[in-house]
Amino acid sequence: MQNLGYNKKERSRLSDALSYFISTVLGLLLIFLLIRTYEIVFTWSHIAGQGSRTILLLSSFFYDILFFLEAVAFIGAIYLVLFFIHKSTAKVILNILSVIVALIYLLLVFYFSKSAIPLGSDLFGYSLSEIQETVTAAGGMNPLYFLFFAIFVAVVVMALLFFRKIKLSQKFVTISIFLMIASVLFGSGFEPQPKDFANTSVYFAVVNKLQFFSSKTYTHFFEKDTELPVSNYYIEKSNGDNISFNYTDNKYPFLHEEKTPDVLANYFNVSDKKPNFVFIITESLGRGYSGENAYLGSFTPFLDSLEKKSLYWENFLSTGGRTFAALPSIFGSLPFGEKGFLEMGDKMPNHFSLIKYLKHYGYTANFFYGGDAHFDLMDVFLRKQNIDLILDQKNFGNGYKKMPTASSGFSWGYGDKDLFKRSFDIINSCKTENQMNIYLTLSMHSPFIVDNMDYYRTKFDAVYSKLNLDPQTMDAVKNYRDILSCVLYTDDAFKEFFDEYKKRDDFNNTIFIITGDHRMPEIPITTQIDRFHVPLIIYSPLLKRTAKFSSVSSHFDITPTLLAFLSDLYQTKKITVSTFIGSTLDTARQFRDIHSYPLMRNKNELLDYLYQDYFYSDKTLYKISPDLDISPINDNVVENKIANMFDDFKRRNNFMIQTGTLVPDSLLNWR
């Protein structure tokens, strides 16, 4: 009888615990649904016309509820353990966790409303100072935000208290617990996948932002590929036009014979002295809004005119979804390391680069940037190339004004027009015969405020009025008026730059290379490959003919191609071995892809691999079409091959990370 009484007491205690928990869960569920409603109302304008809106709405709430049940099941397990230890403490912790989870979810939705991409593990790739700088640039923490968050916390607490007053039946509690357990056991099979949606921006809209962040965070900390062994490399054999490498030394896993052919010489007249080089790496210059057939219409009229006088690759790719990948890929064709090659800082392995090569031949190398060159440790990388000058906001000088500030009072630095003007003070005074000038622009970056903003808004309206796009796309483009106005500003800066450069004596002996560092994330991307889709323009008075190429190449291929060009046309020393990830810029006029290499979305997401006309992303295989669109396919043979090649890259990359070595001294002493 005593045992029966004890068991009855324990069952009653368990019943009280579960009832309290479910009432709390209902209050939290209401907050979840309100946050999702806010998100739909204020951030879903760009998915108009992307399938049935009703189905998307229902899908989003279904995925929200499914994830919610999984999440609270784990919270419930913690709560129950604590409840049987100390009831009051368990209740307090449950309430605190509920408020924290709701607040994190709201912040993630705010982030998505600014960036159009859900926050994932990329958060862990930046220092606190870099995060603070980025948040401040996006508007900072306005005092009104703190008031809003305080009101939000009060609403959460009131929702929790309200549902506590509702007496729940034991049957309802039991069914709720059953649904939570079922969601944990079977819910993973119903999680949204990018391939199930019309495009990536729709997937990003539908997926629960807390689920996305949680999943990416778990993968980052518990499913890293750093344990892949650094032996048993997978070697892809050459197949027709496909490029493969003949690796030469397991002690240096990236080392291979350097056989990049010269594909540029036939397009150039040779001069009696080596050409000067100007690289303009343009912040967020994506093909979606630049160039012929841009799907949002082109907002770069000057660059469009320059393309017609140039060698132009319309299906070109950046190697990263953020700026961190640009410098190492363009000037060294270097592997990524763990969080990008730059992030290795002073521990960057010794490496070969185009900058070092040109420096050997007497070039003066300058880097011009309107912001802080220490961001992403760009200055550390550049100093390892023995760069002659780094001009950034710290030493910009007087007579120039930074870009207009955001509401927080923050400015990234000097605008593109001022950057170009300031650079002429330096390059015009340079006495060496040859120069290599590298620009990284800034104005096409959040908070998207430039000088004379009203003028560029008016200019946007004029371009917009001439677009001939479907009504849904026209509506979407109109939502990006300020962003695309900044694109028009940068395009004007390019025009002024070239007008001024034409006055220089060396203009006729200069090769200009223009590309984007990545595609702009604030305008929703269409596919996973769209985030890397940028133009490449090689313009020079030395060109004897122009061409447009539809073949696929990337930032990785620039340095190998230029080295082959210089050694062929100007008899500079030929590199016989290298660690380049890329090879040749493909000059096929028709669409094709002869390359294979990884692409890195952000500092913590090495998830994408390009192989011929296939794109492997998040362990899903896609076929690439001539417009650089992708569609999921099932081909186990191809998928397994690409997965092996991707793992092979990761093994080689991990070897570099673990040993801190990349190239033998013989390559560094190639002179």
Side-chain angles (χ1 to χ4, degrees):
M1 291 294 291
Q2 286 181 341
N3 286 338
L4 282 174
Y6 179 79
N7 289 337
K8 185 175 181 181
K9 181 179 179 180
E10 287 301 303
R11 285 197 299 271
S12 176
R13 193 179 180 196
L14 177 62
S15 178
D16 290 343
L18 292 177
S19 295
Y20 186 90
F21 173 67
I22 296 301
S23 67
T24 303
V25 163
L26 290 175
L28 187 57
L29 177 60
L30 174 63
I31 298 301
F32 259 59
L33 297 179
L34 288 175
I35 293 174
R36 169 60 88 168
T37 302
Y38 165 85
E39 178 189 343
I40 290 170
V41 171
F42 291 100
T43 69
W44 270 37
S45 58
H46 64 276
I47 67 168
Q50 304 287 351
S52 170
R53 199 172 183 86
T54 301
I55 292 176
L56 294 177
L57 286 169
L58 293 174
S59 297
S60 66
F61 282 113
F62 170 76
Y63 292 128
D64 282 354
I65 293 171
L66 184 63
F67 167 70
F68 179 83
L69 290 171
E70 293 181 63
V72 295
F74 287 106
I75 293 175
I78 297 170
Y79 163 74
L80 285 177
V81 171
L82 293 175
F83 189 90
F84 283 97
I85 296 173
H86 195 278
K87 180 169 70 173
S88 298
T89 301
K91 289 182 176 182
V92 169
I93 291 176
L94 176 62
N95 288 315
I96 292 173
L97 280 176
S98 298
V99 173
I100 291 173
V101 167
L103 194 56
I104 292 173
Y105 183 22
L106 181 66
L107 289 171
L108 291 171
V109 168
F110 274 170
Y111 177 88
F112 177 71
S113 71
K114 296 284 187 182
S115 67
I117 294 179
L119 182 63
S121 59
D122 44 324
L123 174 68
F124 308 109
Y126 293 89
S127 66
L128 287 176
S129 61
E130 289 173 331
I131 293 171
Q132 182 181 11
E133 192 171 7
T134 303
V135 169
T136 307
M141 294 303 294
N142 189 300
L144 290 176
Y145 288 169
F146 291 103
L147 177 61
F148 174 80
F149 291 140
I151 294 172
F152 175 76
V153 170
V155 170
V156 174
V157 172
M158 286 190 292
L160 299 179
L161 293 174
F162 173 78
F163 280 95
R164 299 264 166 72
K165 296 178 180 179
I166 301 175
K167 186 168 180 62
L168 304 176
S169 68
Q170 193 62 43
K171 185 176 181 180
F172 180 85
V173 172
T174 302
I175 292 173
S176 299
I177 297 299
F178 172 79
L179 289 174
M180 290 178 197
I181 295 173
S183 69
V184 172
L185 296 176
F186 308 108
S188 60
F190 296 94
E191 291 178 0
Q193 302 296 326
K195 65 180 180 180
D196 299 328
F197 296 90
N199 59 49
T200 303
S201 63
V202 176
Y203 162 70
F204 283 159
V206 170
V207 71
N208 182 278
K209 308 309 174 288
L210 183 56
Q211 178 187 28
F212 187 91
F213 178 74
S214 302
S215 175
K216 296 295 184 182
T217 299
Y218 179 85
T219 300
H220 172 68
F221 286 107
F222 301 107
E223 294 183 0
K224 285 189 175 182
D225 291 317
T226 53
E227 300 305 316
L228 282 171
V230 295
S231 58
N232 302 320
Y233 296 122
Y234 175 89
I235 305 298
E236 165 65 5
K237 301 299 182 184
S238 178
N239 179 17
D241 289 327
N242 183 48
I243 293 170
S244 63
F245 296 136
N246 181 17
Y247 292 101
T248 59
D249 192 337
N250 273 359
K251 293 181 181 178
Y252 304 96
F254 285 108
L255 194 68
H256 58 78
E257 294 179 15
E258 179 51 38
K259 295 183 176 181
T260 301
D262 176 20
V263 295
L264 297 181
N266 289 335
Y267 294 95
F268 281 85
N269 293 305
V270 65
S271 62
D272 57 356
K273 57 183 179 180
K274 291 184 289 295
N276 287 343
F277 289 96
V278 172
F279 289 83
I280 306 178
I281 306 166
T282 313
E283 172 67 45
S284 298
L285 182 63
R287 273 284 288 119
Y289 35 88
S290 176
E292 186 180 7
N293 299 320
Y295 64 82
L296 294 173
S298 180
F299 290 82
T300 54
F302 174 76
L303 284 181
D304 295 354
S305 67
L306 196 67
E307 289 164 5
K308 294 178 172 60
K309 306 171 187 175
S310 308
L311 303 179
Y312 171 55
W313 283 261
E314 63 176 348
N315 288 326
F316 195 72
L317 300 174
S318 68
T319 55
R322 297 285 184 180
T323 310
F324 73 91
L327 295 182
S329 298
I330 292 171
F331 298 109
S333 195
L334 291 161
F336 292 119
E338 183 179 359
K339 297 180 180 180
F341 195 84
L342 297 181
E343 199 66 22
M344 301 176 80
D346 290 330
K347 295 182 180 179
M348 291 179 200
N350 287 332
H351 54 275
F352 178 79
S353 75
L354 178 64
I355 303 174
K356 291 178 180 177
Y357 185 85
L358 292 180
K359 286 278 295 175
H360 169 70
Y361 284 101
Y363 281 72
T364 295
N366 301 310
F367 177 73
F368 303 106
Y369 179 52
D372 180 3
H374 192 61
F375 194 90
D376 283 337
L377 303 181
M378 293 185 292
D379 58 345
V380 177
F381 173 79
L382 291 165
R383 289 191 180 101
K384 287 183 177 292
Q385 318 313 313
N386 298 318
I387 198 94
D388 291 283
L389 171 73
I390 298 175
L391 176 80
D392 70 353
Q393 64 177 0
K394 294 188 293 294
N395 61 340
F396 209 83
N398 299 323
Y400 299 90
K401 186 174 69 173
K402 288 186 177 181
M403 291 186 294
T405 61
S407 58
S408 61
F410 175 84
S411 171
W412 276 108
Y414 295 90
D416 299 343
K417 290 188 179 184
D418 283 331
L419 175 69
F420 290 143
K421 288 176 184 175
R422 178 68 179 94
S423 72
F424 282 109
D425 297 337
I426 295 168
I427 63 178
N428 287 344
S429 62
C430 183
K431 303 302 182 183
T432 55
E433 184 176 50
N434 286 115
Q435 295 185 43
M436 177 191 198
N437 293 309
I438 303 165
Y439 296 84
L440 177 59
T441 72
L442 188 59
S443 297
M444 287 162 51
H445 197 297
S446 63
F448 302 107
I449 308 172
V450 296
D451 288 326
N452 210 358
M453 194 72 185
D454 287 340
Y455 169 79
Y456 287 103
R457 288 183 180 124
T458 302
K459 196 166 185 176
F460 166 88
D461 294 338
V463 174
Y464 179 81
S465 67
K466 296 176 182 178
L467 296 179
N468 185 25
L469 305 172
D470 63 84
Q472 290 83 8
T473 304
M474 292 294 286
D475 288 342
V477 170
K478 198 170 186 178
N479 290 329
Y480 315 130
R481 186 182 185 220
D482 280 1
I483 295 176
L484 294 171
S485 295
C486 293
V487 176
L488 287 164
Y489 163 88
T490 293
D491 188 67
D492 264 6
F494 270 109
K495 183 179 185 305
E496 293 179 11
F497 173 79
F498 277 95
D499 286 344
E500 185 65 24
Y501 214 103
K502 287 176 182 177
K503 301 174 185 177
R504 289 175 51 84
D505 293 338
D506 66 342
F507 172 70
N508 290 326
N509 194 45
T510 300
I511 297 174
F512 300 87
I513 296 144
I514 302 168
T515 188
D517 60 347
H518 55 79
R519 194 257 201 214
M520 189 180 296
E522 286 81 4
I523 296 178
I525 63 174
T526 56
T527 66
Q528 293 290 13
I529 203 171
D530 185 37
R531 71 174 64 211
F532 306 106
H533 193 184
V534 297
L536 174 67
I537 301 168
I538 297 181
Y539 167 76
S540 176
L542 292 169
L543 282 172
K544 58 186 177 184
R545 58 193 174 104
T546 64
K548 182 175 80 169
F549 310 112
S550 296
S551 48
V552 179
S553 295
S554 82
H555 284 165
F556 280 138
D557 304 313
I558 292 176
T559 280
T561 301
L562 291 179
L563 289 176
F565 167 75
L566 286 167
S567 65
D568 187 8
L569 220 54
Y570 294 92
Q571 287 73 55
T572 59
K573 185 172 178 63
K574 187 176 180 63
I575 304 301
T576 57
V577 293
S578 78
T579 58
F580 298 150
I581 305 302
S583 50
T584 185
L585 290 170
D586 189 5
T587 52
R589 303 295 183 99
Q590 76 279 10
F591 173 79
R592 71 172 187 178
D593 182 13
I594 60 175
H595 299 99
S596 61
Y597 30 57
L599 305 175
M600 195 171 190
R601 295 184 199 175
N602 57 59
K603 291 184 180 181
N604 280 320
E605 287 192 321
L606 183 57
L607 301 172
D608 306 300
Y609 198 90
L610 186 78
Y611 172 72
Q612 297 183 29
D613 55 351
Y614 297 97
F615 187 62
Y616 186 60
S617 178
D618 269 332
K619 299 183 179 179
T620 299
L621 182 65
Y622 297 88
K623 186 77 170 177
I624 308 174
S625 59
D627 57 358
L628 221 60
D629 196 5
I630 58 174
S631 54
I633 63 167
N634 292 314
D635 189 325
N636 291 333
V637 173
V638 173
E639 185 170 345
N640 289 336
K641 176 188 252 186
I642 297 176
N644 285 333
M645 295 172 73
F646 201 0
D647 281 346
D648 177 63
F649 171 82
K650 292 173 184 176
R651 289 186 181 98
R652 297 175 192 274
N653 192 53
N654 289 341
F655 185 94
M656 181 193 72
I657 295 169
Q658 293 165 16
T659 63
T661 59
L662 180 60
V663 297
D665 291 341
S666 58
L667 180 55
L668 296 175
N669 299 322
W670 56 272
R671 303 169 185 82

